[in-house]
Amino acid sequence: MANTLLGERGILGVFVMLPMQVSAEDFPTFITGLRALKNFGGAVVSMPHKIATANLIDELTPEARLVGAVNVIRRNGDGCLIGTMLDGEGFVSGLVAAGHCVKGARILLVGAGGAASAIAFALAKHGCASLCIQNRTLDRASALSERVRHAYPHLEVSTAIQATSHYDIAVNGTSLGMKADDDLPISKSFIGCCDLIADCVIAPEMTKLLQEAANQGKAIQTGVPMLAAQMALMLAFMGAE
């Protein structure tokens, strides 16, 4: 997607995006190496490195500082690495472009990692009526809820699902769905309590969660619009204009 945009702008070759697979164990060393790579302009950071990146680079934008995670970095000429977070705005932009409304919506968010955190703050910023955050580790869900509540004190934020709960939008902000044998992040029975099921997983585009939701006649949103909405912003941040 990035290289297609660079080609359309006539600057593919001046800039090119390459995939780099790095283990969590080697990630700090990898970041150190990027400082020394003089023809490195920037990088898009994916799971599971978004939170770690925020603690390894030199400077964070206000958005990244609020979320505590980074999904794109750039290298200045002096080797300084600066990071921002665009997952949240990208997710909301993708929803709006598809004709869905965040303002006034009751939303369930599954996950409390870097992407989920960014989405939580963006949903609050864009005026959702309530936000329920679920995570396999309750402490992380509670911590994210407190941070969102502190930034948006008038928003109804919780970590508890009631028996009568109904949500306009349910969001998978976890990596569940990337592997064929992953559990569903939202149970089959609870999908029926949600009008729209949105996933942040990009590959496969049609996850088991979305397929199940479609089978139940629910509206769905894949993870691709979130990335597409961000890509031009990411390239601009990295200096590829």
Side-chain angles (χ1 to χ4, degrees):
M1 191 180 290
N3 288 333
T4 297
L5 279 175
L6 293 172
E8 290 172 353
R9 297 174 183 183
I11 54 174
L12 181 61
V14 179
F15 299 97
V16 64
M17 184 170 284
L18 303 172
M20 297 183 182
Q21 185 175 2
V22 188
S23 69
E25 180 183 22
D26 293 329
F27 194 65
T29 303
F30 174 75
I31 290 291
T32 299
L34 292 181
R35 300 177 193 278
L37 192 61
K38 295 187 181 298
N39 68 334
F40 166 69
V44 174
V45 182
S46 61
M47 295 178 284
H49 302 307
K50 296 181 182 184
I51 293 176
T53 300
N55 298 314
L56 293 170
I57 61 177
D58 305 300
E59 184 180 333
L60 301 177
T61 64
E63 294 83 1
R65 195 175 302 114
L66 181 65
V67 174
V70 162
N71 78 327
V72 58
I73 60 177
R74 73 166 178 260
R75 181 190 183 277
N76 285 353
D78 59 0
C80 179
L81 300 181
I82 303 169
T84 193
M85 171 51 82
L86 297 170
D87 272 340
E89 288 298 322
F91 178 79
V92 171
S93 294
L95 280 181
V96 172
H100 304 296
C101 186
V102 169
K103 187 175 179 61
R106 296 161 296 178
I107 300 179
L108 170 67
L109 172 64
V110 180
S117 297
I119 290 168
F121 282 104
L123 292 171
K125 174 185 173 183
H126 287 273
C128 67
S130 65
L131 182 63
C132 178
I133 300 173
Q134 294 282 295
N135 192 63
R136 284 179 293 186
T137 306
L138 179 58
D139 287 350
R140 293 189 69 182
S142 298
L144 176 56
S145 297
E146 285 301 318
R147 287 162 51 210
V148 174
R149 193 176 293 112
H150 179 76
Y152 297 91
H154 300 298
L155 176 64
E156 179 187 335
V157 186
S158 70
T159 58
I161 293 179
Q162 306 299 325
T164 57
S165 295
H166 180 89
Y167 297 97
D168 300 304
I169 304 172
V171 184
N172 174 33
T174 77
S175 61
L176 289 174
M178 295 178 69
K179 299 177 182 177
D181 59 350
D182 280 345
D183 294 331
L184 288 176
I186 301 171
S187 68
K188 290 183 180 181
S189 60
F190 199 71
I191 288 172
C193 301
C194 310
D195 295 334
L196 167 68
I197 304 293
D199 210 325
C200 293
V201 172
I202 296 165
E205 183 173 0
M206 180 59 76
T207 60
K208 286 199 302 183
L209 173 66
L210 295 180
Q211 188 61 62
E212 177 61 34
N215 291 344
Q216 293 191 29
K218 300 296 181 179
I220 62 171
Q221 175 94 344
T222 75
V224 172
M226 179 179 78
L227 179 60
Q230 294 181 76
M231 189 53 68
L233 297 174
M234 288 175 161
L235 291 175
F237 186 80
M238 292 185 286
E241 295 185 277

